Amino acid sequence: MEKITKLFPVWAILFSVIAFFFPDFFSQFKSAIVPFLTVVMFGMGMTLTWENFSGVFKAPRMILLGVALQYLIMPLAGYVISLVFHLSPLLFAGMMLVGCAPGGTASNVITYLGKGNVALSVTLTMLTTLTSVFMTPMLTYLFLNHIIPVPAWEMLWSIFQMVVIPVILGTAINSFFKEEIEKIRPALPMLSTFAIVIIIAIIVALNKKSLEDIEYITVFAVVLHNGTGLGLAYYISKLLKCDEADCRAISVEVGMQNSGLSVALAIKYFTAIAALPGAVFSIWQNLSGPLLANYWNSKRQ
């Protein structure tokens, strides 16, 4: 199962290609995007216990830095890049939804592969996910509302339903039934991988016509957005004299977003076109992440 999960980029690309050529099959599952994301968030909760929440108090400086960089670098980078490349309002919205999203669960795996501080990574993912119920709609409204209307309050409630409730429920089940859950734990990452791959395939199917005419500048904007998050977070942490392992964890946490959430919000409150940056980001970050981890492993810590 672990080998299947590690091949996530391959599955994402494969199913994207299939969805592109057979869009009718996948597009009919548009309404399944939110339930699939809920499954991913529930799976994340099933990897946590109430004890993980105490990690917030063990390294407050690193955690505050990670959360601050998460909600400063990515929204600002998404905004500036969208302006510079003159993206359309809907693609602009998609970029901002990605930028204002919390850290993605894949960041924990990449941090582990890159010999970063995994405990810090897990804590940051948990904290940015829970605070996203306020931060994501607030920041999206702040950066985007003068370009395209943003239903911030409705978005807040949706994030609470799609993210916070499943994570808390998953954590509760894992905390009270840890031994029983141990039997199915190896299958949880594979289940999350499957859910994200299907979400990407549905987005590709819904955007077949748009993808046929997609401009390279949009893809480059997404790649630059991801690279900016990874690079700036790492070097700012370095400048603040953080340990190398902490720098790597913060870098990956900031640069790798919960693009599934951005896609779900784009579909629900904007259009399928607005979901394109999130879909592209999801595929790309799962290529750039392992490449970065491999680069770090070739260096001495």
Side-chain angles (χ1 to χ4, degrees):
M1 289 186 182
E2 186 178 352
K3 291 181 179 179
I4 294 175
T5 303
K6 286 182 178 179
L7 288 173
F8 170 80
V10 176
W11 301 127
I13 294 171
L14 176 62
F15 273 77
S16 295
V17 172
I18 295 172
F20 183 81
F21 288 105
F22 302 97
D24 292 341
F25 175 78
F26 287 96
S27 58
Q28 65 182 316
F29 299 110
K30 176 182 176 180
S31 60
I33 289 177
V34 171
F36 272 123
L37 177 66
T38 302
V39 168
V40 175
M41 292 297 98
F42 180 75
M44 174 186 170
M46 293 276 276
T47 66
L48 302 172
T49 64
W50 301 127
E51 296 171 358
N52 292 124
F53 287 79
S54 64
V56 174
F57 305 102
K58 293 179 180 178
R61 177 174 172 266
M62 289 297 97
I63 291 166
L64 286 174
L65 176 62
V67 173
L69 293 181
Q70 173 72 55
Y71 287 122
L72 282 173
I73 291 177
M74 293 306 279
L76 282 170
Y79 185 77
V80 172
I81 291 169
S82 297
L83 283 179
V84 170
F85 292 145
H86 303 289
L87 297 184
S88 69
L90 287 174
L91 289 175
F92 203 129
M95 287 285 288
M96 291 314 305
L97 285 171
V98 172
C100 298
T105 54
S107 61
N108 308 146
V109 178
I110 300 303
T111 298
Y112 171 74
L113 295 176
K115 298 180 180 178
N117 186 335
V118 178
L120 176 60
S121 177
V122 170
T123 304
L124 286 175
T125 300
M126 176 190 68
L127 200 56
T128 58
T129 297
L130 294 177
T131 54
S132 69
V133 68
F134 302 108
M135 296 301 292
T136 298
M138 181 184 73
L139 289 170
T140 304
Y141 181 87
L142 179 67
F143 282 100
L144 193 60
N145 196 59
H146 65 287
I147 296 172
I148 188 170
V150 176
W153 287 108
E154 292 88 342
M155 198 177 288
L156 185 152
W157 177 238
S158 291
I159 295 172
F160 184 77
Q161 291 176 298
M162 290 188 292
V163 175
V164 178
I165 291 177
V167 169
I168 295 297
L169 182 60
T171 302
I173 292 174
N174 188 44
S175 297
F176 292 115
F177 304 101
K178 195 169 184 178
E179 292 184 7
E180 291 82 353
I181 296 300
E182 204 64 40
K183 299 174 183 177
I184 63 169
R185 195 177 305 282
L188 294 176
M190 188 176 71
L191 183 63
S192 296
T193 298
F194 172 78
I196 295 173
V197 166
I198 295 301
I199 289 173
I200 294 171
I202 295 170
I203 295 304
V204 169
L206 292 171
N207 284 285
K208 176 179 168 61
K209 291 183 179 179
S210 299
L211 284 168
E212 288 175 338
D213 301 320
I214 193 170
E215 298 179 359
Y216 291 114
I217 200 72
T218 302
V219 177
F220 182 69
V222 170
V223 171
L224 183 60
H225 194 190
N226 172 242
T228 300
L230 293 170
L232 276 183
Y234 179 84
Y235 286 109
I236 290 174
S237 301
K238 270 292 186 185
L239 286 173
L240 294 175
K241 298 181 179 179
C242 300
D243 291 339
E244 177 66 19
D246 292 341
C247 292
R248 294 181 181 186
I250 292 173
S251 168
V252 173
E253 191 63 32
V254 171
M256 296 189 71
Q257 299 291 83
N258 187 338
S259 50
L261 176 61
S262 75
V263 164
L265 293 174
I267 288 291
K268 189 173 180 65
Y269 294 109
F270 298 98
T271 69
I273 293 176
L276 265 178
V280 175
F281 198 101
S282 184
I283 296 171
W284 171 251
Q285 72 176 352
N286 284 283
L287 295 173
S288 66
L291 288 173
L292 180 61
N294 187 60
Y295 169 72
W296 279 333
N297 284 331
S298 68
K299 298 173 58 181
R300 290 183 179 178
Q301 265 201 17

